[in-house]
Amino acid sequence: MTEIQELSQFLTLDMRLDVKAVALQQTLGLTGTTDGRHLLINTPCIVKNLCQLLSDSQNSIAKDASLALVNLSADEEIVPALLAEATNMVEHMLKIISNPEHNLADPACMVLSNLTRTKLGSEKVFQSMEGNLDKYVDIFCQEKYNKKGARLHYLASVLANLSQLPAVRSYILDPSRSCLQRLVSFTDYKDSISRRGAILGLIKNCCFETDHHEFLLSEAVDLLPKLLIPLAGPEEFDEEDNDKLPIDLQYLGEEKTREPDPDIRKMLLEALTQLCATKFGREYLRSKNTYVILRELHKWEKNENNLVILEHLVNILIRFEHEIGHDNLKELEVPDEIIEKFNALEPAL
């Protein structure tokens, strides 16, 4: 029997506390290195035992077990083996997240966030949700759902990662549900950069679905103001320009600040660019005077990558439709200079 196999024998609920604590500390240390993680994943029962220890009556034991699982799930190379070894791990994490009295809901969100970075992990998690994504959207939207202080910000990353799956995008974009309408309210969420960034990643992925552009820009979702408000500053416009803007962008006031994170601004610009893939989207953005918001952003933006995307977006909006010559830019067989940017983008995590 190897030392690692001996270690696994001590990671049980009925093991003496001091022995269990030492074994768990050694295990946690091993999860900090690539070689250590591979040793653990190749040892039968280690992962199962760690999952069982999440229910340990000693909080410190349960917490260390959750941290070990977070570290293991962060290694994409071993995710397939991790899912195979602990077949009920995903279900266990979902139960923890669903329990408003559980104090390990945040680490459980982190584990699922790590697992869903892979397509295999996303498919497993969505399957384990049993088609009830709304349940977890509901939990996510209740900021004080967890009574033990868990903020569940990483649940946003889980939802965003799941949106790499066409089936999840179809679910989210179903007009008979209110799923997307609830999530778009977090595009300007001030208390967590991870929460608003992940939800914007989900929205950007949904914008790749050109058949749903009319729904995304309809009053039911009202996506355009949600994407433009974080990009808008305190600038004042003349009455004619102001009246053309969506109502939510009129008279924002001198205290208005732009999204400070360049990566999130990039996602906002990429989502707007995707909406310009269709003639409907382009004409709608023009009709809502999107250009003036982007013009002022261009004066302010310092990030070179964002400036490239911004200039490309403006170039599309200021062109006449007869110059573009196509309804859906993604259907062109041979992309021109406008299309290249679209082809460089893929639905992402």
Side-chain angles (χ1 to χ4, degrees), residues 13-14 33 48 82 91 112 132 149 151-152 180 182 198 215 226-227 245-246 255 270 273 279 292 306 347:
L13 289 170
D14 55 1
T33 67
K48 289 180 182 177
L82 194 61
E91 289 84 355
L112 293 188
N132 192 8
R151 301 299 304 278
L152 306 181
L180 185 61
R182 301 184 69 189
F215 172 60
K226 307 296 192 303
L227 297 177
L245 288 167
E255 301 300 318
E270 288 174 340
T273 302
K279 182 178 179 181
V292 299
N306 287 352

Side-chain angles (χ1 to χ4, degrees), residues 223-233 245-246 249 252 256 268 272 285 288-291 293-294:
L223 181 59
L224 183 59
K226 307 296 192 303
L227 297 177
L228 290 180
I229 286 173
L231 298 175
L245 288 167
L249 278 103
L252 290 175
K256 176 67 176 70
L268 288 160
L272 290 166
L285 265 63
K288 295 299 180 181
N289 215 9
T290 300
Y291 169 74
I293 300 296
L294 300 179

Side-chain angles (χ1 to χ4, degrees), residues 155-164 197-199 201-202 205 348-349:
L155 187 52
S157 299
V158 177
L159 297 173
N161 291 345
L162 288 176
S163 72
Q164 70 182 294
I199 291 305
L202 178 148
N205 284 350
L349 305 187

Side-chain angles (χ1 to χ4, degrees), residues 23-281:
L24 190 52
Q25 280 299 311
Q26 289 180 317
T27 303
L28 189 55
L30 286 169
T31 65
T33 67
T34 301
D35 288 344
R37 289 190 294 271
H38 282 266
L39 272 174
L40 292 172
I41 200 64
N42 289 318
T43 304
C45 296
I46 283 276
V47 177
K48 289 180 182 177
N49 289 354
L50 288 172
C51 288
Q52 288 179 355
L53 290 180
L54 296 174
S55 304
D56 200 278
S57 58
Q58 188 72 23
N59 284 340
S60 60
I61 296 292
K63 184 177 180 181
D64 281 351
S66 73
L67 293 177
L69 289 170
V70 169
N71 288 350
L72 285 170
S73 61
D75 190 333
E76 289 190 24
E77 285 187 17
I78 66 171
V79 163
L82 194 61
L83 292 170
E85 172 66 21
T87 54
N88 66 339
M89 181 171 69
V90 170
E91 289 84 355
H92 198 60
M93 297 301 159
L94 289 172
K95 284 181 182 177
I96 290 174
I97 293 167
S98 302
N99 182 355
E101 299 294 333
H102 210 295
N103 60 3
L104 294 177
D106 276 339
C109 286
M110 291 179 192
V111 169
L112 293 188
S113 174
N114 287 338
L115 293 176
T116 52
R117 288 188 300 177
T118 68
K119 185 180 179 183
L120 175 68
S122 283
E123 290 171 341
K124 172 62 177 173
V125 171
F126 187 51
Q127 179 186 9
S128 299
M129 288 179 171
E130 298 178 336
N132 192 8
L133 189 65
D134 280 298
K135 173 184 177 180
Y136 300 95
V137 171
D138 187 53
I139 290 171
F140 173 75
C141 291
Q142 297 179 57
E143 292 186 59
K144 295 185 179 178
Y145 176 83
N146 186 280
K147 307 300 187 253
K148 299 295 185 179
R151 301 299 304 278
L152 306 181
H153 291 326
Y154 279 90
L155 187 52
S157 299
V158 177
L159 297 173
N161 291 345
L162 288 176
S163 72
Q164 70 182 294
L165 302 177
V168 173
R169 295 198 296 276
S170 295
Y171 186 107
I172 292 169
L173 289 164
D174 184 344
S176 68
R177 306 180 190 277
S178 60
C179 190
L180 185 61
Q181 291 90 319
R182 301 184 69 189
L183 293 173
V184 296
S185 63
F186 289 94
T187 57
D188 203 27
Y189 185 78
K190 303 298 185 188
D191 292 343
S192 169
I193 188 172
S194 60
R195 185 175 279 240
R196 71 177 184 273
I199 291 305
L200 277 165
L202 178 148
I203 290 169
K204 187 186 82 169
N205 284 350
C206 288
C207 289
F208 280 84
E209 302 294 333
T210 54
D211 289 345
H212 293 273
H213 279 187
E214 291 191 34
F215 172 60
L216 287 167
L217 295 169
S218 68
E219 288 186 9
V221 181
D222 201 25
L223 181 59
L224 183 59
K226 307 296 192 303
L227 297 177
L228 290 180
I229 286 173
L231 298 175
E235 296 84 9
E236 294 183 9
F237 303 107
D238 61 39
E239 189 173 343
E240 182 181 357
D241 272 339
N242 209 53
D243 288 346
K244 291 178 184 175
L245 288 167
I247 190 69
D248 291 346
L249 278 103
Q250 296 178 16
Y251 307 107
L252 290 175
E254 60 183 22
E255 301 300 318
K256 176 67 176 70
T257 58
R258 290 183 170 88
E259 167 58 55
D261 186 87
D263 291 330
I264 292 182
R265 294 198 303 277
K266 180 174 181 280
M267 282 193 283
L268 288 160
L269 291 169
E270 288 174 340
L272 290 166
T273 302
Q274 287 306 313
L275 291 173
C276 287
T278 57
K279 182 178 179 181
F280 176 86

